[in-house]
Amino acid sequence: MIINILGAGTWGTTIGCLIAKNKPLYEINIWQRNHSKSQLISSSRIHENLSNYRIPENINFTSNFNNLDGESLSIIAVPTSAVSNILSKYSFSKKTKFIIACKGFDIRTGLLPSQLLEKKYKVLPKNISILSGPNHAEEIIDNKPSAAVVASTNEKLAIELQKLFFHRNFRVYTSSDVMGVQVGAAVKNVIAIASGLCVGLELGDNAQAALVSRGMNELATLKNLYNINIKSLYGLSGLGDLIATCYSKHSRNRKLGYLIGKGRSLAESKKEIGMVSEGVNTCKILYDISVEHKLDMPICNEIYNILFSNTDPKESIYNLMTRSLKIEN
C-alpha cells in the first residue's frame, strides 16, 4: 500500500514514522516543498527537529508532486494556511481519501479544512477524515504513550484508519463528529497563546487555571454555530488538546504567548519559534466569527487585540478581570 503525506514538518514526519513502525511493508512518501531539505533528510535519515530519531528506510522524501500517487491515501500535514495552495498543485482523483492532520481555519475563506476540501475541491465527505488529539510529535516519536481520535462521517474509513495508526503506545478512538473535532483543535491554539501570556507575565497558577477553564467555555460557545456534539469538545481533540497545548513546553502557541508576555513583538516571537503557530491566524477568524454572530468570546478577542491592535497584555488582563459580573455557565 502507498501512503502520501503532504508536509515534512515534525508532525508529518512523525505520522510517517508511526505508520512505518506499524506497517513496515507500506511505501510512505512525504512531500517537502524545499528540494535541498528533502535531499538532506533522504540521505541522512534525520529530521532537524527530531534529531534523536532515525527515519525508517520505507519512508521516501520528495519535493516533486509527480512522484506521488494521487489516488493513494493522502495525509495533509501542512499548516492550515497552506492547504489550499498545496491542493491546487496536487493531482488527486475523486476516489482519493484524505486525512486532515492540521488544526485551524483557512485564513482566506474562514473555512475549516474539511469545509475547504468539500466546497473548493469537491472532495466527497465520505472520503474525508480528521486526525486530532493531544499529540506532540516530540513525545510520539519518543514512544511515549499518547491517544488520538479519527473522525469521519464514513464509519468504515474511520475504523480502517484507527487500525492503521494504532500502536501499543498510540491509542486511537473513532468519532463521527468531524466539525466538533476540528473546532476544538483549532480554538485551543488561541487559548494556549493566552496561557503562555500568563506564564510570561508571571500571573501565577490561579490565573492560568482560570483562563484555561474559561477558555473551555469559549470552545463550547461555538457548538450551535457548527452543530457540534458537546461531548467532542470534552474529548481528546477538545479538552485533551487544550490541556496539552496550554501547559506543554512543546507548544508553539504557548511559547508565542510567553514571549509576548516577556515583551517581544509578534514578529520577534514568530521568528524565534521558527515554525507556524496556528493560533495567530485562528485568532483572526474567531474574532470575525464572534463579531458577526455576536458570540461572547472575551479571551479570544483580547488575544486578537494584543496580536493585531497592539494592546498591552496587562491591559487585556485588566479588561478580562473587570468585565461585568455574571453567572458561571
Side-chain angles (χ1 to χ4, degrees):
M1 183 175 177
I2 299 173
I3 295 176
N4 298 323
I5 301 176
L6 304 176
T10 55
W11 186 220
T13 302
T14 295
I15 291 173
C17 292
L18 181 63
I19 297 172
K21 187 187 306 179
N22 291 342
K23 308 291 183 181
L25 298 181
Y26 282 19
E27 178 183 331
I28 301 165
N29 301 310
I30 301 183
W31 177 85
Q32 150 75 265
R33 72 173 71 234
N34 187 300
H35 178 65
S36 60
K37 285 187 177 181
S38 180
Q39 287 187 316
L40 179 61
I41 299 175
S42 294
S43 59
S44 68
R45 312 310 296 175
I46 299 293
H47 190 287
E48 60 181 342
N49 294 318
L50 301 168
S51 58
N52 293 327
Y53 184 84
R54 183 170 178 80
I55 297 169
E57 295 295 333
N58 61 323
I59 296 180
N60 307 308
F61 289 87
T62 182
S63 58
N64 189 343
F65 281 112
N66 293 328
N67 292 333
L68 304 179
D69 176 7
E71 293 195 351
S72 298
L73 177 66
S74 299
I75 303 173
I76 302 173
V78 294
T80 309
S81 59
V83 171
S84 188
N85 180 49
I86 299 302
L87 289 184
S88 67
K89 301 174 182 176
Y90 183 48
S91 298
F92 57 90
S93 74
K94 291 183 178 180
K95 296 180 180 180
T96 304
K97 293 179 173 58
F98 286 93
I99 303 173
I100 296 168
C102 51
K103 303 172 180 179
F105 294 84
D106 177 62
I107 190 63
R108 297 172 188 84
T109 63
L111 298 174
L112 290 162
S114 70
Q115 295 174 310
L116 186 69
L117 264 63
E118 287 183 44
K119 294 183 179 182
K120 185 173 182 179
Y121 296 98
K122 309 305 177 186
V123 179
L124 297 175
K126 70 177 183 178
N127 291 333
I128 297 174
S129 61
I130 317 295
L131 175 66
S132 192
N135 301 147
H136 288 303
E138 298 85 353
E139 294 186 359
I140 293 171
I141 204 78
D142 199 30
N143 277 323
K144 293 182 178 179
S146 302
V149 59
V150 171
S152 178
T153 56
N154 181 344
E155 183 180 9
K156 180 181 178 182
L157 176 61
I159 292 173
E160 288 176 355
L161 297 178
Q162 180 183 39
K163 294 176 181 177
L164 174 68
F165 288 112
F166 172 72
H167 180 266
R168 65 181 184 181
N169 288 323
F170 194 73
R171 183 168 179 80
V172 184
Y173 295 83
T174 62
S175 170
S176 60
D177 189 6
V178 169
M179 300 302 284
V181 166
Q182 290 178 99
V183 168
V187 179
K188 57 83 186 176
N189 284 328
V190 181
I191 306 304
I193 294 175
S195 178
L197 275 166
C198 281
V199 180
L201 293 171
E202 300 180 11
L203 300 181
D205 295 341
N206 293 347
Q208 189 178 13
L211 188 145
V212 173
S213 60
R214 292 303 299 172
M216 188 66 213
N217 190 68
E218 296 194 16
L219 266 71
T221 301
L222 295 165
K223 70 181 181 67
N224 293 328
L225 185 61
Y226 288 97
N227 192 25
I228 294 169
N229 182 340
I230 193 67
K231 290 183 178 180
S232 297
L233 296 182
Y234 288 94
L236 289 168
S237 62
L239 180 60
D241 208 357
L242 179 71
I243 293 170
T245 309
C246 286
Y247 290 97
S248 174
K249 65 180 181 180
H250 300 302
S251 169
R252 302 171 199 167
N253 293 285
R254 179 185 182 275
K255 185 174 182 179
L256 184 102
Y258 172 82
L259 292 173
I260 291 173
K262 288 299 183 185
R264 310 284 215 291
S265 68
L266 175 58
E268 290 170 338
S269 301
K270 290 166 70 174
K271 183 178 180 180
E272 181 168 336
I273 293 169
M275 294 181 282
V276 174
S277 298
E278 292 273 22
V280 176
N281 284 340
T282 298
C283 186
K284 292 181 181 178
I285 301 299
L286 288 178
Y287 180 81
D288 291 340
I289 289 172
S290 67
V291 171
E292 179 182 353
H293 297 280
K294 296 180 172 59
L295 300 178
D296 187 27
M297 303 183 72
I299 297 172
C300 290
N301 289 346
E302 286 298 339
I303 295 302
Y304 175 89
N305 290 335
I306 292 168
L307 298 183
F308 303 109
S309 298
N310 295 318
T311 300
D312 187 300
K314 293 180 181 178
E315 181 182 339
S316 285
I317 296 297
Y318 176 81
N319 292 339
L320 289 172
M321 292 299 293
T322 58
R323 295 171 67 235
S324 59
L325 300 179
K326 58 191 293 185
I327 297 172
E328 183 180 29
N329 55 30

